[in-house]
Amino acid sequence: EDKVVQSPLSLVVHEGDTVTLNCSYEVTNFRSLLWYKQEKKAPTFLFMLTSSGIEKKSGRLSSILDKKELSSILNITATQTGDSAIYLCAKMWGGSQGNLIFGKGTKLSVKP
Amino acid sequence: DTEVTQTPKHLVMGMTNKKSLKCEQHMGHRAMYWYKQKAKKPPELMFVYSYEKLSINESVPSRFSPECPNSSLLNLHLHALQPEDSALYLCASSPRRDGTGYSPLHFGNGTRLTVT
C-alpha cells in the first residue's frame, strides 16, 4: 500500500523555537517528495525534493530528502506565530504525469 | 490568493440538486486535478486531466462527473450527492512534465460543499 507517514501529528512550540517535522514514504513509483503548508484554504507549495542529500531553503524553512531512509525532514528556525498551520508531506508518483498521495499532516501551533 | 481560481467558495445543496464547481487557471498548465478534503484529513485525489483528457479516475462514484472544456477550465458536476460528500473540494494544476522532471501542483482555495 502506498503510504506517507508524518510525525508528530501535532506540535506546540513557542516563538523563536526551532522545529523539525518528519515524513516517511514507501518507495513504490516514487518520483518526488513535496511539502505544503495549509492554513485555512489552499495548500501552499513549499518544497519539491527529488534528489537525496540536497537541502532546499526558503528563508527560515529548509528541507532535505534521504532516499536511503525513505524520509524527509522540514526544519523551521526562529518560529513565528504565522508559521502556525498544518504541514503536509506528499509523495508524487506516477508514470506520464504526477499526482500526490498526502500524509495526514503535522499541525504546528506557535505560541507567542 | 492563488493563481488557481475556484468558484463558488461555498455551496450548500440538497441531495436532489444538480450543481457544478468551477476551476480556472491561466498559467498554461496542461494537467489539472480534483481533490477532496474532509475535515482534519489530507486531500485525496479524485480525478486527473492531462491535455484535456481524463487520465485518472480514482474510483469516484458517478454522482461526481468531471469535465475539462479547455486547457484553462475544469468543472466538477454534482448530482444526487449524499451528506457524507460534504467536504472541501480542491482544484490543482501543474505544468505537463517536459522531460526535465516533475513540477509541483498549485492548488486553488477550494469550494466548501455542504450537502443537506
Side-chain angles (χ1 to χ4, degrees), chain A residues 31-32 34 36 38 40-45 48 88 92-105, chain B residues 2 9 33 35 37 42-43 45 48 50 55-56 58 88 90 94 96-97 102-109 112:
Chain A
R31 302 299 179 198
S32 298
L34 289 85
Y36 284 85
Q38 187 172 26
K40 293 189 176 178
K41 295 182 178 177
T44 305
F45 171 71
M48 181 171 175
L88 294 165
M92 180 178 281
W93 64 277
S96 58
Q97 71 276 316
N99 37 64
L100 303 177
I101 297 172
F102 285 88
K104 292 184 177 181
Chain B
T2 78
K9 292 182 181 179
Y33 309 76
Y35 278 80
Q37 187 174 23
L45 181 65
V48 180
S50 180
S55 58
I56 293 179
E58 288 288 326
L88 180 67
L90 292 163
S94 69
R96 187 70 167 82
R97 186 167 69 108
Y102 291 89
S103 296
L105 275 64
H106 298 267
F107 285 87
N109 280 327
R112 192 162 297 281

Side-chain angles (χ1 to χ4, degrees), chain A residues 68-109:
Chain A
K68 280 189 180 178
E69 298 295 326
L70 303 180
S71 65
S72 174
I73 60 171
L74 174 68
N75 281 321
I76 308 175
T77 60
T79 52
Q80 302 171 357
T81 55
D83 295 326
S84 297
I86 294 174
Y87 290 83
L88 294 165
C89 172
K91 167 184 154 181
M92 180 178 281
W93 64 277
S96 58
Q97 71 276 316
N99 37 64
L100 303 177
I101 297 172
F102 285 88
K104 292 184 177 181
T106 293
K107 183 177 180 181
L108 175 65
S109 299

Side-chain angles (χ1 to χ4, degrees), chain B residues 49-107:
Chain B
Y49 272 83
S50 180
Y51 288 99
E52 296 103 68
K53 291 186 179 177
L54 182 64
S55 58
I56 293 179
N57 175 343
E58 288 288 326
S59 303
V60 179
S62 59
R63 58 186 184 269
F64 295 92
S65 175
E67 179 197 19
C68 191
N70 60 57
S71 60
S72 299
L73 294 174
L74 184 66
N75 298 321
L76 186 63
H77 302 298
L78 314 172
H79 175 55
L81 294 194
Q82 304 296 311
E84 59 264 29
D85 295 321
S86 299
L88 180 67
Y89 288 84
L90 292 163
C91 174
S93 69
S94 69
R96 187 70 167 82
R97 186 167 69 108
D98 62 1
T100 63
Y102 291 89
S103 296
L105 275 64
H106 298 267
F107 285 87

Side-chain angles (χ1 to χ4, degrees), chain A residues 40-79:
Chain A
K40 293 189 176 178
K41 295 182 178 177
T44 305
F45 171 71
L46 295 175
F47 298 109
M48 181 171 175
L49 306 162
T50 306
S51 299
S52 196
I54 299 175
E55 185 182 50
K56 293 205 172 182
K57 294 193 75 170
S58 176
R60 296 177 293 103
L61 278 67
S62 63
S63 184
I64 195 165
L65 178 68
D66 185 337
K67 283 188 172 180
K68 280 189 180 178
E69 298 295 326
L70 303 180
S71 65
S72 174
I73 60 171
L74 174 68
N75 281 321
I76 308 175
T77 60
T79 52

